[in-house]
Amino acid sequence: MRTDQNLASLGSMRSAPVVFGAGAAIGVLGGMIGLGGAEFRLPLLIGLFGFAALSAVILNKAMSLVVVLVALPARLAAVPAAEVAARWPVAVNLLAGSLVGAWVGATWAVRMRSATLYKVLAALMVLMAAALVVTHTTALDALALPLWAQVPAGVVAGFGIGVIAAIMGVAGGELLIPTIVLLFGVGIKTAGSLSLLVSLPTMLVAFARYSRDGSFAVLGANLRFIAVMAAGSIAGAVLGGVLLGVFPDLILIPLLAVILLVSAVKLARHD
């Protein structure tokens, strides 16, 4: 039996207020930068709640899916549906790669040794920290690629994002939004809505692949844990949205990047 399975129910031993509070803290962090915060949830699932790597990834994916489903109607209400619909080729272009990438990424994750998966997750946390800093401190301008280069670039980018999102259990908005802006010249608000439309089916594909592995049983063993933490994440995200702009990016972004880097070090050293 996998180590992940042996640790499947450790999180259930935590009290509901602790689980809700942890989810709320993650939601606030994500909400203050306009994201779901799943990249901050993953190290907590491993370090604080004692889940092994693959179990944490699957749980993170489940809660990310809940957060995306809740955020999607609100996001679509904030950006005119016609504006999002007009950009449907962008979503299709990225999905052509991300759906395959999600399946491949989930396949790799379930086949990796736990020690290897911890190190891969640590490396991806560093990537997320870099993406966070670049996205929020640099003016993103479209690359103005010709159509013949734009389409394959979108497929390749989508594939890479699908792999990363599946392995980390995140929605992938941290990478999708800048990719949509850079490759397709879409405004940042519309890019946020498009990223959710790409994330949802991509996450479902990863779920379908994970459901074929024995470690997927972690969901059934921790339904209450998932519900409580997801509720906390949603509540925190709302509060984080209210606080959006209260803390200057000059302070907030480096702080969040440091949190991700410290988490990466801890994951890399995880036994």
Side-chain angles (χ1 to χ4, degrees):
M1 182 177 292
R2 292 182 60 113
T3 303
D4 295 50
Q5 287 292 90
N6 294 334
L7 294 175
S9 60
L10 284 181
S12 298
M13 298 167 64
R14 299 281 184 171
S15 66
V18 172
V19 176
F20 183 89
I26 293 161
V28 169
L29 289 177
M32 286 193 296
I33 55 175
L35 297 171
E39 64 274 25
F40 301 104
R41 186 190 302 117
L42 182 61
L44 271 186
L45 289 171
I46 294 171
L48 177 62
F49 295 107
F51 290 101
L54 187 57
S55 292
V57 167
I58 293 173
L59 288 170
N60 202 30
K61 179 65 76 176
M63 286 179 272
S64 296
L65 180 58
V66 172
V67 172
V68 167
L69 287 171
V70 171
L72 188 57
R75 187 80 195 199
L76 292 178
V79 179
E83 185 175 337
V84 177
R87 295 287 190 169
W88 67 265
V90 173
V92 171
N93 193 174
L94 289 168
L95 281 169
S98 69
L99 296 179
V100 178
W103 187 272
V104 171
T107 299
W108 286 345
V110 299
R111 291 179 179 176
M112 282 183 201
R113 293 174 55 249
S114 289
T116 303
L117 184 54
Y118 283 121
K119 291 178 173 56
V120 170
L121 291 174
L124 293 179
M125 294 293 285
V126 174
L127 173 64
M128 287 297 185
L132 179 66
V133 171
V134 171
T135 301
H136 289 84
T137 62
T138 306
L140 298 177
D141 296 316
L143 298 177
L145 295 176
L147 186 60
W148 63 266
Q150 191 180 85
V151 172
V155 173
V156 171
F159 177 85
I161 293 169
V163 169
I164 293 170
I167 292 177
M168 293 189 74
V170 301
E174 304 88 336
L175 301 175
L176 278 169
I177 293 174
T179 297
I180 292 170
V181 174
L182 289 171
L183 288 184
F184 304 101
V186 177
I188 193 75
K189 289 186 177 181
T190 304
S193 297
L194 286 169
S195 75
L196 291 177
L197 294 178
V198 175
S199 293
L200 185 55
T202 302
M203 294 168 73
L204 291 174
V205 167
F207 250 111
R209 177 60 187 88
Y210 280 128
S211 68
R212 300 174 60 181
D213 184 78
S215 296
F216 197 72
V218 69
L219 293 182
N222 293 279
L223 289 177
R224 178 174 175 271
F225 178 89
I226 294 169
V228 173
M229 181 168 270
S233 294
I234 293 168
V238 173
L239 177 58
V242 173
L243 296 175
L244 187 64
V246 171
F247 299 96
D249 282 357
L250 188 62
I251 296 174
L252 181 61
I253 300 305
L255 176 61
L256 295 180
V258 168
I259 292 174
L260 290 174
L261 292 176
V262 171
S263 299
V265 172
K266 290 184 176 181
L267 286 177
R269 294 178 175 175
H270 199 284
D271 186 2

